[in-house]
């Protein structure tokens, strides 16, 4: 599982006012594909060179983001191909299309249960406030496979999670107790990029491709956003036992006829099962600070300028100045940086800073997730403006930038 570098960190303090953002308990989420059904087979090669009936495989894209929509990591899982195994020994037998033997091939009406052989998302760790975004795709396999097409598709999809999760966090904020709020079909609402240029070679010809292409050649994915509280509060479909919360089977339809694509017209139903296991362990007590480790307070503020203390208001963007979001924090005389909701006073983050020769350095911890953000920048006394870059952990780059004004 490769951890991608974060391109943006938006400290969206208005989320502190919403209880869901920080109250999702930590634990492990499991997403299982229980079964899939061929509601309508895809138009196939009449000579069956690729096997009888449909042959399909799955590419499951997913990511984990924190309560601010900042992507922690993104990845994919690829299944084997299901269908007619005759002459294709690496496939998994599914369906009854081949009339000569029991080697499989998916026909309209065929249902298949992949079981443990399927690459499910098993026990994905989520911290308090985290959520998972999943985009399941089912692909038609064809002899004219284009590996570069799939590689380009996968790369674009995985790299899009940074933007998707910044939208998903808002859509999930009020996803309590009613069915279906975790499924988003509007690609525009999630900033899902266009794939038309990548998929255009598959239009009206035999080629491996994702099922779910519209009449205009665009791809219309299913997108699912889940956090622990959603699984626990979907009461109409929820069972809680043995410390685990189970949502009963949820079906997603990928219907190209409904998308206006009547040429290939693939129509499949995927049925998923969501589980959350809460982490009931207690966090370890903080390690006592020994005498040697104690900071010498009299040295902290030697070069502290009185003009740097006070309330700061501004915007945070990515490294390219995109996706501006409001940021508010206070720098106090004890060399602390404090971030709190202005309406409720709820503390969201706290850390320390140093200031010398108009240069500021510091770090703070997001209290809901224990993630550390570090920053460095300069202060202009003439304009009383501060410009900083941010990073995860001890890095001070890669997480965007602040432009702040002193109030």
């Amino acid at each position: 599982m490769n951890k991608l570098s974060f391109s943006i960190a938006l400290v969206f303090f208005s989320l502190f006012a919403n209880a869901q953002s920080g109250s999702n308990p930590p634990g492990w989420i499991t997403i299982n594909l229980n079964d899939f059904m061929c509601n309508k087979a895809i138009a196939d090669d009449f000579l069956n060179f690729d096997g009888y009936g449909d042959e399909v495989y799955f590419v499951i894209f997913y990511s984990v983001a924190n309560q601010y929509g900042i992507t922690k990591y993104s990845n994919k899982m690829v299944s084997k191909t299901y269908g007619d195994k005759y002459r294709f020994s690496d496939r998994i037998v599914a369906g009854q299309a081949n009339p000569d033997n029991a080697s499989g091939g998916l026909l309209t009406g065929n249902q298949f249960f992949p079981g443990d052989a399927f690459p499910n998302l098993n026990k994905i760790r989520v911290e308090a406030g985290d959520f998972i975004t999943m985009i399941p795709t089912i692909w038609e396999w064809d002899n004219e496979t284009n590996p570069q097409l799939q590689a380009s598709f996968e790369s674009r999809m995985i790299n899009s999670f940074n933007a998707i999760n910044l939208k998903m966090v808002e859509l999930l904020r009020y996803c309590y107790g009613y069915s279906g709020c975790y499924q988003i079909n509007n690609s525009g609402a999630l900033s899902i990029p266009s794939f038309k240029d990548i998929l255009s070679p598959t239009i009206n010809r035999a080629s491996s491709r994702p099922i779910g292409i519209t009449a205009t050649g665009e791809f219309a994915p299913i997108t699912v956003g889940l956090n622990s509280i959603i699984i626990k509060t979907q009461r109409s479909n929820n069972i809680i036992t043995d410390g685990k919360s189970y949502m009963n089977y949820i079906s997603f339809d990928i219907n190209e006829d409904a998308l206006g694509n009547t040429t290939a017209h693939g129509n499949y139903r995927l049925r998923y099962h969501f589980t959350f296991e809460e982490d009931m362990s207690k966090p370890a007590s903080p390690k006592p600070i020994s005498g040697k480790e104690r900071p010498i307070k009299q040295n902290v503020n030697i070069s502290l300028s009185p003009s740097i203390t006070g309330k700061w208001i501004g915007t945070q963007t990515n490294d390219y100045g995109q996706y501006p979001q409001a940021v508010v924090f206070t720098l106090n005389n004890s060399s602390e940086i404090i971030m709190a909701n202005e309406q409720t006073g709820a503390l969201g983050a706290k850390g320390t800073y140093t200031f010398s020769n108009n240069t500021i350095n510091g770090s703070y911890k997001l209290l809901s997730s224990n993630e550390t953000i570090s920053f460095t920048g300069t202060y202009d006394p003439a304009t009383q403006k501060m410009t900083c870059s941010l990073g995860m952990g001890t890095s001070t780059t890669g997480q965007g930038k602040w432009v702040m004004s002193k109030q």
Side-chain angles (χ1 to χ4, degrees), residues 194-207:
S194 171
F195 292 91
K196 188 174 181 178
D197 60 317
I198 296 176
L199 298 177
S200 58
T202 71
I203 304 301
N204 296 326
R205 60 175 295 178
S207 179

Side-chain angles (χ1 to χ4, degrees), residues 111-122:
Q111 183 180 16
F112 187 75
F113 295 81
D116 293 337
F118 192 81
N120 288 307
L121 306 184
N122 292 314

Side-chain angles (χ1 to χ4, degrees), residues 330-358:
T330 299
L331 303 177
N332 66 23
N333 285 318
S334 298
S335 293
E336 292 179 316
I337 177 171
I338 298 172
M339 301 174 177
N341 180 273
E342 293 192 279
Q343 284 73 43
T344 66
L347 186 64
K350 188 176 182 180
T352 60
Y353 72 95
T354 61
F355 181 71
S356 178
N357 298 322
N358 293 327

Side-chain angles (χ1 to χ4, degrees), residues 168-384:
M168 180 65 79
V169 70
E170 291 298 306
L171 296 173
L172 294 184
R173 205 192 308 187
Y174 303 105
C175 190
Y176 283 111
Y178 61 91
S179 178
C181 57
Y182 43 81
Q183 179 183 351
I184 295 90
N185 296 326
N186 184 348
S187 298
L190 285 174
S191 296
I192 293 177
S194 171
F195 292 91
K196 188 174 181 178
D197 60 317
I198 296 176
L199 298 177
S200 58
T202 71
I203 304 301
N204 296 326
R205 60 175 295 178
S207 179
S208 293
R209 66 178 183 87
I211 303 172
I213 297 177
T214 70
T216 62
E218 189 55 87
F219 182 63
I222 292 171
T223 309
V224 179
L226 284 173
N227 56 32
S228 55
I229 206 69
I230 289 174
I231 297 177
K232 293 183 70 172
T233 59
Q234 299 294 307
R235 293 302 180 188
S236 60
N237 295 316
N238 188 266
I239 302 169
I240 300 177
T241 182
D242 300 328
K244 297 181 181 179
S245 300
Y246 301 89
M247 285 174 64
N248 285 342
Y249 304 113
I250 309 297
S251 295
F252 304 112
D253 292 319
I254 303 175
N255 185 348
E256 289 186 324
D257 280 331
L259 295 172
N261 182 358
T262 57
T263 302
H265 51 257
N267 184 344
Y268 275 78
R269 185 211 67 194
L270 315 181
R271 193 163 64 151
Y272 273 92
H273 193 205
F274 306 138
T275 305
F276 172 65
E277 180 181 357
E278 188 166 353
D279 185 353
M280 305 302 293
S281 62
K282 294 182 179 180
S285 300
K287 180 183 176 181
I289 300 176
S290 67
K292 293 182 180 180
E293 295 172 329
R294 292 182 186 276
I296 304 174
K297 289 188 176 181
Q298 61 266 29
N299 290 338
V300 172
N301 294 320
I302 289 176
S303 58
L304 186 64
S305 168
S307 63
I308 201 73
T309 61
K311 182 178 179 181
W312 291 80
I313 295 178
T315 57
Q316 181 169 324
T317 67
N318 66 5
D319 291 334
Y320 307 101
Q322 300 170 316
Y323 311 112
Q325 299 289 349
V327 178
V328 179
F329 58 75
T330 299
L331 303 177
N332 66 23
N333 285 318
S334 298
S335 293
E336 292 179 316
I337 177 171
I338 298 172
M339 301 174 177
N341 180 273
E342 293 192 279
Q343 284 73 43
T344 66
L347 186 64
K350 188 176 182 180
T352 60
Y353 72 95
T354 61
F355 181 71
S356 178
N357 298 322
N358 293 327
T359 298
I360 185 168
N361 294 282
S363 66
Y364 56 88
K365 182 174 288 188
L366 302 174
L367 300 185
S368 63
S369 63
N370 286 325
E371 293 171 304
T372 298
I373 303 293
S374 297
F375 60 91
T376 185
T378 58
Y379 169 67
D380 184 349
T383 61
Q384 291 195 317

Side-chain angles (χ1 to χ4, degrees), residues 60-89:
I60 313 300
F61 301 93
Y62 68 99
S63 73
V64 175
N66 69 14
Q67 70 181 74
Y68 307 105
I70 301 170
T71 302
K72 292 182 169 183
Y73 63 87
S74 306
N75 210 338
K76 67 174 182 179
M77 302 185 79
V78 182
S79 76
K80 290 188 174 182
T81 300
Y82 299 86
D84 182 2
K85 191 174 182 178
Y86 182 64
R87 296 187 297 109
F88 298 92
S89 60

